[in-house]
Amino acid sequence: MLKHSYTLLAPLYDRLVARATEPMRRRSLARLGEVQGRRILLTGVGSGLDLPHLPEGAHYTGLDLTPAMLRRAQRRVPLNRHVDLVEGNAMALPFPDEHFDTVIMHLILAVVPEPADALREAARVLKPGGRVLILDKFLRPGQLAPLRRLLNPFLRRLATRTDVVFEHLLPLAPSLRVMADEPAVPGGWFRHIELHKRL
Ligand SMILES: C[S@@+](CC[C@H](N)C(=O)[O-])C[C@H]1O[C@@H](n2cnc3c(N)ncnc32)[C@H](O)[C@@H]1O
């Protein structure tokens, strides 16, 4: 279902999302620091809005469920960056265990139907000591957010869930621990979360 809706959304996605999210993306990707020789996965790479902001020197892999989004991402690969684009499912990644140094999850954990599976998969493919950089919208434990919960049954089929509580996911990926958790916008619906995988 999401594959169909993102196929329809692909031509509109950049107009709807690019400008509003650019400062948040830059801030999240600034956490990458030195990347020379590293293997970095962007899970749910979408139309590639992160790609122009990636630092040089790493081997990047961008995975997405929707070929129409991947075709857009292909056009955004900067000339001097090594980016492989792969069709696949964030909840069942087609990569071996402990393969990547960093996994970037921008606007994907709150999109997939089973976010705990996507987080567990990120942890699996991450090397010990590796990091997950998350940018997404989450409710706080116990937060009522009646409108978001009311809209969720419709929106989750079309584009994104609006009821995901990050604190409910984390215990399901026990190798990961929180190193930073900061609001990305006032009010804190969108958050920057950095996780480390235990050595
Ligand atoms: C909200 S967009 C975010 C794209 C990009 N990360 C960004 O920051 O702009 C969500 C993306 O997740 C993709 N997607 C949805 N379900 C997926 C799944 N199970 N596995 C991988 N990608 C998925 C959609 O095709 C879409 O490109």
Side-chain angles (χ1 to χ4, degrees), residues 10-161:
L12 299 173
Y13 183 83
D14 296 350
R15 259 178 277 167
L16 295 172
V17 170
R19 190 177 300 178
T21 57
E22 181 167 335
M24 296 189 253
R25 294 176 192 283
R26 285 179 181 277
R27 185 169 150 200
S28 177
L29 296 171
R31 286 185 186 273
L32 283 171
E34 175 54 56
V35 298
Q36 192 61 44
R38 306 217 165 226
R39 274 206 288 252
I40 299 179
L41 172 66
L42 296 95
T43 183
V45 65
S47 62
L49 292 176
D50 290 325
L51 301 182
H53 308 299
L54 297 175
E56 263 183 77
H59 182 145
Y60 295 99
T61 302
L63 171 133
D64 203 280
L65 189 66
T66 310
M69 294 296 266
L70 287 171
R71 283 196 289 278
R72 290 183 170 261
Q74 186 65 58
R75 296 183 213 148
R76 284 211 166 84
V77 176
L79 277 179
N80 50 356
R81 303 290 187 283
H82 186 147
V83 183
D84 289 330
L85 293 170
V86 176
E87 187 180 337
N89 184 350
M91 298 178 292
L93 292 172
F95 307 114
D97 295 355
E98 302 186 358
H99 188 67
F100 293 98
D101 298 284
T102 306
V103 179
I104 296 168
M105 303 187 87
H106 284 178
L107 311 181
I108 180 69
L109 264 185
V111 165
V112 294
E114 297 297 339
D117 289 349
L119 191 61
R120 260 197 300 261
E121 276 295 88
R124 179 184 66 75
V125 301
L126 202 56
K127 295 178 187 172
R131 295 186 296 160
V132 187
L133 302 181
I134 296 169
L135 164 62
D136 223 319
K137 53 195 175 315
F138 298 110
L139 300 186
R140 300 274 173 186
Q143 187 177 356
L144 292 179
L147 185 60
R148 280 173 261 174
R149 290 187 191 276
L150 185 72
L151 291 175
N152 181 61
F154 306 101
L155 288 179
R156 67 181 296 158
R157 289 185 180 81
L158 295 177
T160 186
R161 290 180 56 171

